[in-house]
Every structure is written in C-alpha cells, then in structure tokens.
Amino acid sequence: MQEPVILTRRSGRVGIVQLNRPDNLNALNDALMDALGAALLEFDRDEGIGCLVLTGGSRAFAAGADVEAIQDMNFPEAVRTSFITRNWETILRVRKPVIGAVAGFALGGGCELAMMCDFVIAAENARFGQPEIKLGIIPGAGGTQRLPRAVSKAKAMEMVLTGRMMDAHEAERCGLVARVVPLERLEEEALASAALIAGMSLPSVIAAKEALNRAYETPLSEGLQYERKSFHALFATRDQKEGMAAFLAKRKPEFTHS
C-alpha cells in the first residue's frame, strides 16, 4: 500500500500538515499539491482549529518541484493545465494563520511554499534557495515576487541569478524567517506558537492576518483605512467584551471565537 503524500494530525486547536515524500525530499508534484490544498482547506473549515502548522522532514521541508514529472512539459501544456496556479496557491485561501516549520532544504518550490506561510520558524539546518536558473527556467510560484519583498531586491537578485542557498541564520537576519531554533526543538516551538495563536479570539486573529497581508498589496493610506474598519468591526464581537473585561479583572480571557 502506497504511503499518503500528506500526513495530518491535530494537537488541541492546532492542525498539523506534514509533507510526506521523504524518498524524494518532499519534491512537490500534482498529487502532493492537490492533497496539501485539500488538507489545509479542511482544517480551515474546522471550527475546532485556530491555527495550522505546515512541516516536512528533518532533511527537507521540500527540495522543489518534482523535475522528473515536469521536464517534458511544453508551453501549450503548461498554459492549458494552469501549471502552478491550479493547485500551488491553495494555501493563500486559508484564512487561519499557517506557520511554516522548516528543516533542511527549502529550495525552489519549497522556498516559495514556505514564503506562502504566514511566518516561518526554521531549524538550524534549514537552507533556502531559488535554484531554478540552473535548470534553464526561473521561479514560477512567486519566488521573483515574494523573495525581494522579504529579503530586499539585492539579496533576491543574487539568490535567483546565482542559485545560491541561504542558511537559516542569514534568513533570519534578512527577515525571511521569524526565528531559528535547534532542529530537535522545531516541532515543539512551532506547536507552542501555534497553540498561543489558537488560544486567541479567532475573529481577531483572522482580521489581523488579513490586515497585515494588505500591507503588501495596497498603498499605506488604503491599508490604514482597511485596518481601521477591521478594528472598529471587532467591537461587535463577544470576544472583544470578554477580552477587555478579563484584562480589567486581571484574569485570563475565555474566548468563544464569536
């Protein structure tokens, strides 16, 4: 019986999704990306889940697209099948926060998938890169667009044009990852962050994620207007009343996510 390409489990209010093609360093193919999208959306619909963690293995988060599966693809086929856009960006439809827990190689599509997470916690052995130039192509799942926004145009230009890998500590200095932790503590740290977020009011968490994403998509004036409207709207929630009452009473809030 063939092993599933995606493994899922839950820890309290945290949904965990693991890429599971270890013999191929979690190379990303159609079957995996379809299964990944389905798993992410299922957790997003689950009212008992407040945050997600996306992870791979200790040797590789994902070493890129499955080159063997796409080497013979031609231009008409790529356009006709909506290669990349058809199933690679499902993660962007997830409204709950997604934390990337990255160990080992996150290259090409793997780096791009990590950048689609809301933030990344990296193990000390993590390596990030966009080596597509070595294959006669360029990044196709956001590498030329998200990477310069994360690490600066100069760093991104160097990485994309040379295929150089960036280690975890350089990635942290550049802002590509939020934190670097020892490999043996990666899951523990990612789950702790996810559990902390999942314990917050879900309406405010979703609003915060959406507002922060607007900062990359709109001019400052429009982003501020969006933030203000979301801020005002949260005063209509039960969790706002509970949160402020708990603060004044010096007790822990009991959010109902409503």
Side-chain angles (χ1 to χ4, degrees), residues 83-144:
F83 178 51
I84 297 292
T85 55
R86 184 184 69 79
N87 55 5
W88 280 60
E89 296 183 335
T90 306
I91 187 173
L92 302 179
R93 293 161 48 195
V94 177
R95 300 187 71 198
K96 296 168 184 174
V98 181
I99 300 173
V102 176
F105 297 114
L107 304 178
C111 184
E112 291 167 313
L113 181 59
M115 289 191 288
M116 288 187 230
C117 296
D118 293 303
F119 66 88
V120 170
I121 298 176
E124 290 176 328
N125 73 334
R127 298 291 183 271
F128 300 87
Q130 299 289 165
E132 289 90 345
I133 200 78
K134 298 179 179 180
L135 304 179
I137 56 172
I138 67 171
T144 66

Side-chain angles (χ1 to χ4, degrees), residues 51-62:
C51 188
L52 287 72
V53 172
L54 175 59
T55 190
S58 59
R59 291 179 58 214
F61 173 71

Side-chain angles (χ1 to χ4, degrees), residues 125-198:
N125 73 334
R127 298 291 183 271
F128 300 87
Q130 299 289 165
E132 289 90 345
I133 200 78
K134 298 179 179 180
L135 304 179
I137 56 172
I138 67 171
T144 66
Q145 303 302 303
R146 292 189 179 92
L147 192 59
R149 284 170 166 80
V151 304
S152 82
K153 177 185 174 182
K155 282 282 188 183
M157 193 72 78
E158 180 203 17
M159 290 176 68
V160 171
L161 293 180
T162 68
R164 181 180 74 86
M165 286 190 288
M166 177 184 285
D167 67 26
H169 293 289
E170 183 180 0
E172 183 183 29
R173 291 194 302 271
C174 293
L176 184 60
V177 307
R179 280 191 292 134
V180 178
V181 300
L183 174 60
E184 62 272 17
R185 285 177 46 205
L186 177 61
E187 180 174 316
E188 173 190 347
E189 294 287 342
L191 288 179
S193 291
L196 181 64
I197 293 168

Side-chain angles (χ1 to χ4, degrees), residues 200-212:
M200 306 295 181
S201 165
L202 185 57
S204 62
V205 166
I206 290 174
K209 172 175 171 171
E210 290 178 350
L212 282 160

